[in-house]
Amino acid sequence: MSTTAPGRAVGAPLDRIEGPQKVTGEAPYAYEHDVENPLYLYPLQSDIALGRVARIDASAAEGLPGVIAVISHQNAPQLADTRDKELAILQSDEVAFRGQYIGAVVAETFEIARHAADLVEVSYDEEQHDAAFGPDRDDLYTPDQLNAGFPTDTEEGDVEGALSSAAVTLDETYTTPLEHNNPMEPHTSIAFWEAGDLTLYESTQGAHAVRRTVARMFGLDRDRLRVVALHVGGGFGSKGLPHANTILAVMAAQVVEGSPIKFALTRQQMFSCVGYRTPTVQRIRLGADAEGHLTATSHDVVEQTARIKEFAEQTAYATRSMYATENRSTTHRLAALDVSVPSWMRAPGEAPGMYALEAAMDEMATKCGLDPIEFRVRNEPELDAETGLPYSSRNLVACLREGAERFGWEGRDPTPRTRREGRWLVGTGVASGTYPVFRLPGSRARIRSEGDGRYAVEIGAVDIGTGAWTALTQISADALDVGVEDIDLRIGDTELPSASVAGGSSGITVWGSAILEAARVFRERHGDDPSEGDTAEAGTPDNPETENYSMHAFGAYFVEARVDEDTGEVRVPRMTGVFAVGRVINAKTARSQFIGGMTMGLSMALHEESLLDPRFGHVLNHDFAEYHIPTNADVGEMDVTWIDEDDPYVNPMGSKGIGEIGIVGSPAAVANAVYHATGIRVRDLPITPDKLLR
Amino acid sequence: MDAEVTLKVDGTDYRFVVDTRTTLLDALRERLGITSPKKGCDHGQCGACTILLDGRRANSCLALAVAYDGSEIVTAEGLAQNGELHPMQRAFVEHDGYQCGYCTPGQIVSAVGMLEEVKAGWPSHVTGDLNVEEVVLDDDEIRERMSGNLCRCAAYANIVPAIREVSGR
Amino acid sequence: MRPYGYVRANDVQGAVATLAEAPNAAYLAGGTNLVDLMKLGVVQPDLLVDVRRLTLERVEDLDDGGLRIGAAVPNSDLAADRKIRTRYPALSEALLAGASGQLRNLATTGGNLLQRTRCVYWQDTTTPCNKREPGSGCSAIEGHNKHHAILGASAQCVATHPSDMAVALVALDAFVNVQGPDGGRRIPIEELHRLPGDEPQRDTTLEHGELVTSVDLPPLGFLSNSRYRKVRERASYAFALVSVAAALDVEDGVVRDVRIALGGVAHKPWRATKAEEALRGEPIGEANFRVAAEIELEDAEPLRDNAFKVPLARNVITRTLLDLSEER
């Protein structure tokens, strides 16, 4: 395979084509589509974490003027497929976690629905629940496999032997907290059922995935189900897999046929059942020889899942091949609790796992007496040790070197707690990151000539803020050898050809490849001067090179941290990120993806933590006042660049996907900088002031 | 309970009956179909609902419609005049001061309101000398003054230069 | 949120009379706290009496040389007021450290004083809380209590008061003027807010129907050497872990007078009278400031998650006083 010749559009820093609509607020998100005479849904959620709904008295609610229906397991539609216990709601009186949907009120206004929900009286047969996560439980189990199908445990060589004979060893445990994705736009549906046809305006990362799931669960013919997702206010993984809110909306639409049902989660409800990142407890053991070459790497992970449905985050996955070591082992153990189901959150696996690994590497570098960059360079592998394959391209060292120069790493005194500016202790830190080039199956693109040299390019992809509207337009323009102004891109609708979800940083790879293939077929069939209406369609071609090469993006992350000696407050005035991601489709939107990921990594290091009270089983800090994400004042100078990387194997565009690489190395870089500033090694995220007070 | 309210929104007068529980945010979005202010949290904790309310930036999600009868409101839709984007809107497009766009109308209206506050000489938490005559709007001032608008996509590092450009520095 | 009536009061007497007749009515000003709580179902008035523009909307000079702040003055106007900035900078700094620009434009002096705690268990109607339902228990004492009180708490309640402005006003020895069904009174601000004791459901000493009309600041010259320092978990738009409002009067290297109030540590802004006593007449300097802080914090009773507030408060008191002593 070779990559396309550099065209005119790909690579250019074009403004987002939907920009004017976004800055005027006219771009329609799910809730904002014009529908006639909508009704409003407010959910009923369980107050207990385990047991049964004993009795529901909806009489007061039903008696309220404007209330149309109160739905519960007593009268909800029976689902055709109930195997997915997260989604098969209202099929029994069973309660499996606190906050689970146990019903819904449908009313003429949002205010009436909300009030009526308060009037529904529910009593429970409560059972003793167990929501206390911890690494010392005696019921931890080994899942059959991890998320994305990765093997649970791996073992190469003799880790214990290598550790016992190593010149330098490290044995530390790192923890990351429960986290919630919290896109700015809550999960939202408008569901409209009329004469056997269902229309869903949905805030989702995958319109076709929603259609597939809803069709299966309700026993519907897919052709009678349309899902529209033109503009989505972020997802970060939480809208990648359909959640119970969608099922609830469709149920209500079925019950109140003929009226569109509007259901947007409150921010508080965003902490109940739309997925989250599991907390992790990660024990990392490293062994190295006297020259700082790693001889053993061991990464043992404990995390949680829901009792009703398993999700096993692939936390130690990156450790399997990040550095050159002969003796490696990784394990994952789960605690199944009476809690809601974890799901994808930006860089599942890599985000928490590389925090621990890269913090450990920093500690190990210190122990070996080596500069942390040199230590990593010394352990740069030739091949992907886990698969034995060569990398299609791996330029981590180049990223580290370039970053060091841009950031001003040279001459850094590694001694911690030696730099002061007024009351601020100042430190710097570095970390590496990697993210695989995923390919999700099931994307097709259709191209149609519209006459006058214009082309419609259709694919059911969704732009959740990634810039897909623009990037795919650029790819289409170059593929058809026309200007971007001659492309009419249509995405976000199941009436368009099927597309995989916007997840795993895979969008451009699979959607872009499908468009290129469709363009190739189009030209082959219709030539350079097509007639109006000429069409061609194609799916993402297989890439046999995936058998021959390990394909990953890489990044180097540099952070300056300041810690107030009196208070422990941490500020990060600057971050530098240097990335090796193949060809960048749009330089402007790519930078945004990188700064977004890096800031989310900063957030992971310093701010985010969902506090689950095991006595009750739900998250206490369920709003934006108490669940902290960075404000504008928390973010300083963000220096971002990428190196020229020509990878002819990954896909025809030569691109690697950039949505998640930004977060992967950032938390460790921040933690390492805080250590350098203070001499205090905090191994439990988030690093809040209380952990730095002396 | 219901009450009649009159609101001038983006230059147009509206008179309608509203539930006393309805916020300005929901009145705008659900009753008037003006969906540029967005509901991110409904509790004044994210700023996505920011409007100019009688000339000042405010969270429309905490303002009851009935309490602001007779008010004048400007939303992001209203900033654009005669089909031309407002300079702040143009700057956000140019600097890519957004990604998913959901917080964006609130950011833009907040920024416009913020610049007026600077003109009025209001200090901020980061203003070195509280008694300064004229506020110098450096990047730290922009960041602090815009901290009432959360952005999960974290477009902050692009929002700041967009605002800086419009402020004329 | 249950349905409720809404009336706009024409004058203070009318507002007070309306509330006196309606035991489940509430005053509405900026609404930034009340509407928040109504949506959560924590407070459920059946009548709102709008007083947003009813009381004084200005900052006025008083004959004694002090200032009168109208209850209806928005927080942003108060923070920007030139007289406040010059003569009572701790108050301006406290306001600017609170909330966001948008919220400060809506919030009023009166409403800010009367805002309720941010305790997550109080805000969540599904977890037991003695403040919401006396006798139901306190979920925080054995639960997540990182943001809870280290001083003045009781076995019933360990919540803290979240207002920055109120901490500054306590340090500045303000008076709160209220009008009620039984007439007007002038409350020293330290007596406005309560410690929880056996009645955690009562945040203030106000009777139902009493309306805050203004806040008076005394004409004390040295209050112009005051500041507010707030420690938060992020750089902005967050409640205090711990905060300090302080004013310092130094003559010949000796503390002639001092005022210190703490936020984030108790059910009310905490006036650090023990520290003040320990400092008056003593030479300035880090060692003395630290000793005074430690004296004040001697009675601190940390909970499982908030022991850090003791060294944090000690450090912030010390640092704030040092900064004030260096400015003169």
Side-chain angles (χ1 to χ4, degrees), chain B residues 99-150:
Chain B
Q99 292 176 38
C100 81
Y102 198 74
C103 76
T104 307
Q107 297 274 1
I108 288 171
V109 171
S110 182
V112 169
M114 181 273 284
L115 290 182
E116 291 300 305
E117 292 169 8
V118 170
K119 247 200 285 187
W122 288 7
S124 83
H125 171 65
V126 302
T127 307
D129 174 9
L130 203 58
N131 290 301
V132 74
E133 272 309 311
E134 247 181 59
V135 173
V136 173
L137 192 68
D138 60 19
D139 282 0
D140 281 339
E141 286 278 5
I142 294 175
R143 291 178 181 119
E144 163 60 27
R145 290 167 189 264
M146 290 302 296
S147 281
N149 291 85
L150 297 182

Coordinates of all heavy atoms in Angstrom, one line a residue, chain B residues 99-150:
Chain B
Q99 N -14.8 22.9 19.7 CA -14.7 21.6 19.0 C -16.1 21.0 18.8 O -16.6 21.1 17.7 CB -13.8 20.6 19.8 CG -12.3 21.1 19.8 CD -11.4 20.3 20.7 OE1 -11.5 19.1 20.8 NE2 -10.4 20.9 21.3
C100 N -16.7 20.5 19.9 CA -18.1 20.0 19.7 C -19.1 21.1 19.5 O -20.1 20.9 19.0 CB -18.4 19.1 20.8 SG -19.0 19.9 22.3
G101 N -18.7 22.3 20.0 CA -19.5 23.5 19.8 C -20.6 23.7 20.8 O -21.4 24.7 20.8
Y102 N -20.8 22.8 21.8 CA -22.0 22.9 22.7 C -21.8 24.0 23.7 O -22.8 24.7 24.0 CB -22.2 21.6 23.4 CG -23.6 21.4 24.0 CD1 -24.7 21.2 23.2 CD2 -23.8 21.5 25.4 CE1 -25.9 21.1 23.7 CE2 -25.0 21.4 25.9 CZ -26.1 21.2 25.1 OH -27.4 21.1 25.6
C103 N -20.6 24.3 24.1 CA -20.4 25.4 25.1 C -20.2 26.7 24.3 O -20.2 27.8 25.0 CB -19.2 25.2 26.0 SG -17.6 25.4 25.2
T104 N -20.1 26.7 23.0 CA -19.6 27.8 22.2 C -20.5 29.0 22.3 O -20.0 30.1 22.5 CB -19.3 27.3 20.8 OG1 -18.4 26.2 20.8 CG2 -18.7 28.4 20.0
P105 N -21.8 28.9 22.0 CA -22.6 30.1 22.1 C -22.4 30.8 23.4 O -22.3 32.1 23.5 CB -24.0 29.6 21.8 CG -23.8 28.4 21.1 CD -22.6 27.7 21.6
G106 N -22.4 30.1 24.5 CA -22.3 30.6 25.8 C -20.9 31.3 26.0 O -20.8 32.3 26.6
Q107 N -19.9 30.7 25.5 CA -18.5 31.2 25.5 C -18.5 32.6 24.9 O -17.9 33.6 25.4 CB -17.5 30.3 24.8 CG -17.3 28.9 25.4 CD -16.3 28.9 26.6 OE1 -15.7 29.9 26.9 NE2 -16.1 27.7 27.1
I108 N -19.1 32.6 23.7 CA -19.0 33.8 22.9 C -19.8 35.0 23.5 O -19.3 36.1 23.6 CB -19.5 33.6 21.4 CG1 -18.4 32.7 20.7 CG2 -19.8 34.8 20.7 CD1 -18.8 32.1 19.4
V109 N -21.0 34.7 24.0 CA -21.8 35.7 24.6 C -21.1 36.2 25.9 O -21.0 37.4 26.2 CB -23.2 35.2 25.0 CG1 -24.0 36.2 25.8 CG2 -24.0 35.0 23.7
S110 N -20.5 35.2 26.6 CA -19.8 35.6 27.9 C -18.6 36.4 27.6 O -18.3 37.4 28.3 CB -19.3 34.3 28.5 OG -18.7 34.5 29.8
A111 N -17.9 36.1 26.5 CA -16.7 36.9 26.1 C -17.1 38.4 25.8 O -16.4 39.3 26.2 CB -16.0 36.3 25.0
V112 N -18.2 38.5 25.0 CA -18.7 39.8 24.7 C -19.1 40.6 25.9 O -18.7 41.8 26.1 CB -19.9 39.7 23.7 CG1 -20.6 41.1 23.5 CG2 -19.4 39.2 22.4
G113 N -19.8 40.0 26.8 CA -20.1 40.6 28.1 C -18.9 40.9 28.9 O -18.9 42.0 29.6
M114 N -18.0 40.0 28.9 CA -16.7 40.2 29.7 C -16.0 41.5 29.2 O -15.5 42.2 30.1 CB -15.9 39.0 29.6 CG -14.6 39.0 30.3 SD -13.2 39.8 29.5 CE -12.8 38.4 28.3
L115 N -15.9 41.7 27.9 CA -15.2 42.8 27.4 C -15.8 44.1 27.9 O -15.1 45.1 28.2 CB -15.1 42.8 25.9 CG -14.2 41.7 25.3 CD1 -14.1 41.8 23.8 CD2 -12.8 41.8 25.9
E116 N -17.1 44.1 28.0 CA -17.8 45.3 28.5 C -17.5 45.5 30.0 O -17.3 46.7 30.4 CB -19.4 45.1 28.4 CG -19.9 45.2 27.0 CD -19.6 46.5 26.3 OE1 -19.9 47.5 26.8 OE2 -18.9 46.4 25.2
E117 N -17.3 44.5 30.7 CA -16.9 44.6 32.2 C -15.5 45.2 32.3 O -15.2 46.0 33.2 CB -17.0 43.2 32.8 CG -18.5 42.7 33.0 CD -18.5 41.2 33.4 OE1 -17.5 40.7 33.7 OE2 -19.6 40.7 33.3
V118 N -14.7 44.8 31.4 CA -13.3 45.3 31.4 C -13.3 46.8 31.1 O -12.7 47.6 31.7 CB -12.4 44.6 30.4 CG1 -11.1 45.3 30.2 CG2 -12.2 43.1 30.8
K119 N -14.2 47.1 30.1 CA -14.3 48.6 29.7 C -14.8 49.4 30.9 O -14.4 50.5 31.1 CB -15.3 48.7 28.6 CG -14.6 49.2 27.3 CD -15.6 49.8 26.3 CE -16.4 48.7 25.6 NZ -17.3 49.2 24.5
A120 N -15.7 48.8 31.7 CA -16.2 49.5 32.9 C -15.2 49.5 34.0 O -15.5 50.1 35.1 CB -17.5 48.8 33.3
G121 N -14.0 48.9 33.8 CA -13.0 49.0 34.8 C -13.1 48.0 35.9 O -12.5 48.2 37.0
W122 N -13.9 47.0 35.8 CA -14.1 46.0 36.8 C -12.8 45.2 37.0 O -12.3 44.6 36.0 CB -15.2 45.1 36.5 CG -16.6 45.7 36.6 CD1 -16.9 47.0 36.9 CD2 -17.8 45.0 36.5 NE1 -18.2 47.2 36.9 CE2 -18.9 46.0 36.7 CE3 -18.2 43.7 36.3 CZ2 -20.2 45.7 36.7 CZ3 -19.5 43.4 36.3 CH2 -20.5 44.3 36.4
P123 N -12.3 45.1 38.2 CA -11.1 44.2 38.4 C -11.6 42.7 38.5 O -12.8 42.4 38.5 CB -10.6 44.6 39.8 CG -11.9 45.1 40.5 CD -12.8 45.7 39.5
S124 N -10.6 41.8 38.5 CA -10.9 40.4 38.6 C -10.0 39.8 39.7 O -9.2 40.5 40.3 CB -10.6 39.7 37.3 OG -9.3 39.3 37.2
H125 N -10.2 38.6 40.0 CA -9.5 37.9 41.0 C -8.0 37.9 40.8 O -7.2 37.8 41.7 CB -10.0 36.4 41.0 CG -9.1 35.5 41.9 ND1 -9.1 35.6 43.3 CD2 -8.4 34.4 41.6 CE1 -8.3 34.7 43.8 NE2 -7.9 33.9 42.8
V126 N -7.6 38.1 39.5 CA -6.1 38.1 39.2 C -5.6 39.5 39.0 O -4.4 39.6 38.7 CB -5.8 37.2 38.0 CG1 -6.2 35.7 38.3 CG2 -6.4 37.7 36.7
T127 N -6.4 40.5 39.1 CA -5.9 41.8 38.9 C -4.9 42.2 40.0 O -5.3 42.2 41.2 CB -7.0 42.8 38.8 OG1 -8.0 42.4 37.9 CG2 -6.5 44.2 38.4
G128 N -3.7 42.5 39.6 CA -2.7 42.7 40.6 C -3.0 43.8 41.6 O -3.0 43.7 42.8
D129 N -3.3 45.0 41.0 CA -3.6 46.1 41.9 C -5.1 46.4 41.8 O -5.7 46.8 40.8 CB -2.9 47.4 41.4 CG -3.3 48.6 42.1 OD1 -4.0 48.6 43.1 OD2 -2.8 49.7 41.7
L130 N -5.8 46.1 42.9 CA -7.3 46.2 42.9 C -7.8 47.6 42.5 O -8.9 47.7 42.0 CB -7.7 45.8 44.3 CG -9.1 45.3 44.6 CD1 -9.4 44.1 43.7 CD2 -9.3 45.1 46.0
N131 N -7.0 48.6 42.8 CA -7.4 49.9 42.6 C -6.9 50.5 41.2 O -7.0 51.7 41.0 CB -6.9 50.8 43.7 CG -7.7 50.5 45.0 OD1 -8.9 50.6 45.0 ND2 -7.0 50.1 46.0
V132 N -6.5 49.6 40.3 CA -6.0 50.1 39.0 C -7.1 50.9 38.3 O -8.3 50.6 38.4 CB -5.6 48.8 38.2 CG1 -6.8 48.0 37.7 CG2 -4.7 49.2 37.1
E133 N -6.7 51.9 37.6 CA -7.7 52.7 36.9 C -8.3 52.0 35.7 O -9.5 52.0 35.5 CB -7.0 54.0 36.4 CG -7.0 55.2 37.4 CD -8.4 55.4 38.0 OE1 -9.4 55.6 37.2 OE2 -8.5 55.5 39.2
E134 N -7.4 51.4 34.9 CA -7.8 50.7 33.7 C -7.3 49.3 33.8 O -6.1 49.1 34.0 CB -7.2 51.4 32.5 CG -8.2 52.1 31.6 CD -7.5 52.7 30.4 OE1 -6.9 52.0 29.6 OE2 -7.6 53.9 30.3
V135 N -8.1 48.4 33.5 CA -7.7 47.0 33.5 C -6.9 46.6 32.3 O -7.3 46.9 31.1 CB -8.9 46.0 33.6 CG1 -8.4 44.6 33.5 CG2 -9.6 46.3 34.9
V136 N -5.7 46.0 32.4 CA -5.0 45.5 31.3 C -5.4 44.1 31.1 O -5.1 43.2 31.9 CB -3.5 45.6 31.5 CG1 -2.7 44.9 30.4 CG2 -3.0 47.1 31.7
L137 N -6.0 43.8 29.9 CA -6.5 42.5 29.7 C -5.5 41.5 29.1 O -5.4 41.2 27.9 CB -7.7 42.6 28.7 CG -8.6 41.3 28.6 CD1 -9.3 41.0 29.9 CD2 -9.6 41.4 27.5
D138 N -4.6 41.1 30.0 CA -3.6 40.1 29.5 C -4.2 38.7 29.6 O -5.4 38.5 29.9 CB -2.3 40.1 30.4 CG -2.6 39.8 31.9 OD1 -3.6 39.2 32.2 OD2 -1.7 40.2 32.7
D139 N -3.5 37.7 29.2 CA -4.0 36.3 29.0 C -4.5 35.8 30.3 O -5.6 35.1 30.4 CB -3.0 35.4 28.4 CG -2.9 35.6 26.9 OD1 -3.6 36.4 26.3 OD2 -2.0 34.9 26.3
D140 N -3.8 36.1 31.4 CA -4.3 35.6 32.7 C -5.7 36.2 33.1 O -6.5 35.5 33.7 CB -3.3 35.9 33.8 CG -2.1 34.9 33.8 OD1 -2.3 33.8 33.2 OD2 -1.1 35.2 34.3
E141 N -5.8 37.5 32.7 CA -7.1 38.1 33.0 C -8.2 37.4 32.1 O -9.3 37.2 32.6 CB -7.1 39.6 32.6 CG -6.3 40.4 33.6 CD -7.1 40.8 34.9 OE1 -8.3 40.4 35.0 OE2 -6.6 41.6 35.7
I142 N -7.9 37.2 30.9 CA -8.9 36.5 30.0 C -9.3 35.2 30.6 O -10.5 34.8 30.7 CB -8.4 36.4 28.6 CG1 -8.2 37.7 27.9 CG2 -9.3 35.5 27.7 CD1 -7.6 37.7 26.5
R143 N -8.3 34.4 31.0 CA -8.6 33.1 31.5 C -9.5 33.1 32.8 O -10.4 32.4 32.9 CB -7.3 32.4 31.9 CG -6.4 32.0 30.7 CD -5.1 31.4 31.2 NE -4.3 31.0 30.0 CZ -3.1 31.5 29.7 NH1 -2.5 32.4 30.6 NH2 -2.4 31.2 28.6
E144 N -9.1 34.0 33.7 CA -9.9 34.1 34.9 C -11.3 34.6 34.6 O -12.3 34.0 35.1 CB -9.2 35.0 35.9 CG -10.1 35.6 37.1 CD -10.7 34.5 38.0 OE1 -10.1 33.4 38.1 OE2 -11.7 34.7 38.6
R145 N -11.4 35.6 33.8 CA -12.8 36.2 33.5 C -13.6 35.2 32.8 O -14.9 35.4 32.8 CB -12.6 37.5 32.8 CG -12.0 38.6 33.7 CD -11.6 39.8 32.9 NE -10.9 40.8 33.7 CZ -11.4 41.8 34.3 NH1 -12.7 42.1 34.2 NH2 -10.7 42.6 35.1
M146 N -13.0 34.3 32.0 CA -13.8 33.3 31.2 C -14.0 32.0 32.0 O -14.5 31.0 31.4 CB -13.1 33.1 29.9 CG -13.2 34.3 28.9 SD -14.9 34.8 28.6 CE -15.5 33.4 27.7
S147 N -13.6 31.9 33.2 CA -13.6 30.7 33.9 C -15.0 30.2 34.3 O -15.2 29.1 34.8 CB -12.7 30.7 35.2 OG -11.4 30.5 34.8
G148 N -16.0 31.1 34.1 CA -17.4 30.7 34.3 C -18.0 29.9 33.1 O -19.2 29.6 33.1
N149 N -17.1 29.6 32.1 CA -17.6 28.9 30.9 C -16.7 27.6 30.8 O -15.6 27.7 30.3 CB -17.5 29.7 29.7 CG -18.5 30.9 29.7 OD1 -18.3 31.9 30.2 ND2 -19.6 30.6 29.1
L150 N -17.3 26.5 31.2 CA -16.5 25.3 31.1 C -16.5 24.8 29.7 O -17.5 24.9 29.0 CB -17.1 24.2 32.0 CG -17.1 24.5 33.5 CD1 -17.7 23.3 34.3 CD2 -15.7 24.8 34.0

